[in-house]
Amino acid sequence: MGGGPELDGVLEEISDGVLLLIYDLPTEEPVKTLMRNNHLSPRERGEAEFLAQRVRAWYKWAVSRLRWLGYPLQLSVVQLSKSSLPTAKRTIDYVLRRFELATRYDRWGLYRDRRPDIKIIRLKPEGEEDAKTLLDVARETLKGILLDLREDVLRRLREEKQDPVDVYTRTKTVLRKVREMDGYRLLERDEELRGILASIEMLLA
């Protein structure tokens, strides 16, 4: 891990207790099961397909919003910094409200008992090694995102010969999201991450 003393503050925060966002979101599967019912009228089938489309779009949007709140550890687990907690709470509320809108035409009550389960829990690492492991995971998450982004920029510019302005705009949007998710400010504190970020910026210059 690069950065040395610059990361001591992050280790102290994690050692004091790490925040984990855990979510389990409903999918369109209940609607698809309903549509396999041959007793649906053509009108009902159309309404069911409309509901499936709305839930599908909501699910994709919600996953994206939740995963960009921090450092994804697993499919449905995101590590949060203390500084990102207010934003996380607002986002969760927004996700829940959007779910109500997506399922407002659920005439069959398919989602009455299938609600989004989103919670934030606080775990205290047992020791310094556990805290370092959690920091390493967060750092590797950012590193992977940056390396993938750099490869994407190179491919778009050199292989696909895409418009540099379009590539610049898209990449800047992704970098903005990466900085927003980086509640520990590892992009500023870690030497290797700073180097990868600088190499991306050079490609866009």
Side-chain angles (χ1 to χ4, degrees):
M1 180 189 301
E6 298 180 14
L7 297 176
D8 287 348
V10 182
L11 274 176
E12 290 179 6
E13 176 179 338
I14 295 176
S15 297
D16 187 51
V18 64
L19 298 172
L20 297 181
L21 171 72
I22 302 174
Y23 58 91
D24 182 14
L25 306 181
T27 68
E28 65 192 273
E29 190 56 38
V31 190
K32 294 171 65 176
T33 300
L34 174 70
M35 293 176 65
R36 288 193 284 268
N37 181 351
N38 294 326
H39 299 295
L40 289 179
S41 68
R43 178 178 177 179
E44 289 174 328
R45 189 167 296 278
E47 292 176 348
E49 177 58 36
F50 178 66
L51 176 60
Q53 292 174 357
R54 290 174 64 90
V55 174
R56 186 185 312 126
W58 169 84
Y59 179 88
K60 182 178 180 180
W61 167 84
V63 169
S64 176
R65 289 296 295 264
L66 293 173
R67 288 182 67 80
W68 280 106
L69 285 172
Y71 310 90
L73 303 182
Q74 299 176 11
L75 182 61
S76 300
V77 181
V78 180
Q79 182 175 338
L80 304 176
S81 66
K82 291 180 181 179
S83 63
S84 66
L85 187 56
T87 299
K89 290 181 176 179
R90 289 193 299 270
T91 301
I92 291 172
D93 182 65
Y94 190 31
V95 166
L96 294 176
R97 285 189 282 117
R98 286 281 295 265
F99 176 77
E100 296 298 330
L101 292 175
T103 58
R104 67 187 303 177
Y105 299 109
D106 176 19
R107 57 180 292 186
W108 302 274
L110 299 173
Y111 294 96
R112 186 177 298 119
D113 298 320
R114 294 182 174 93
R115 319 298 296 176
D117 183 11
I118 311 173
K119 58 176 70 76
I120 297 175
I121 64 174
R122 182 176 179 272
L123 298 177
K124 187 173 179 61
E126 293 185 0
E128 184 178 352
E129 287 304 313
D130 287 344
K132 287 181 177 180
T133 297
L134 288 167
L135 176 55
D136 283 341
V137 171
R139 179 187 177 280
E140 288 300 315
T141 296
L142 280 182
K143 181 179 177 180
I145 292 174
L146 291 177
L147 290 177
D148 288 345
L149 181 60
R150 187 170 66 184
E151 288 300 315
D152 181 70
V153 172
L154 287 170
R155 176 177 54 81
R156 291 173 183 272
L157 290 177
R158 297 180 180 179
E159 297 179 17
E160 299 180 3
K161 306 297 184 181
Q162 294 187 13
D163 185 344
V165 175
D166 291 340
V167 176
Y168 176 91
T169 302
R170 177 188 179 280
T171 305
K172 283 295 185 180
T173 298
V174 176
L175 287 177
R176 175 179 55 79
K177 291 182 177 180
V178 173
R179 288 189 173 96
E180 289 174 354
M181 71 181 278
D182 183 27
Y184 294 144
R185 293 174 37 234
L186 299 179
L187 293 175
E188 302 172 22
R189 291 168 156 165
D190 185 90
E191 182 179 0
E192 183 180 14
L193 295 180
R194 290 199 303 267
I196 299 173
L197 181 60
S199 69
I200 296 174
E201 298 283 2
M202 288 180 61
L203 290 173
L204 300 176

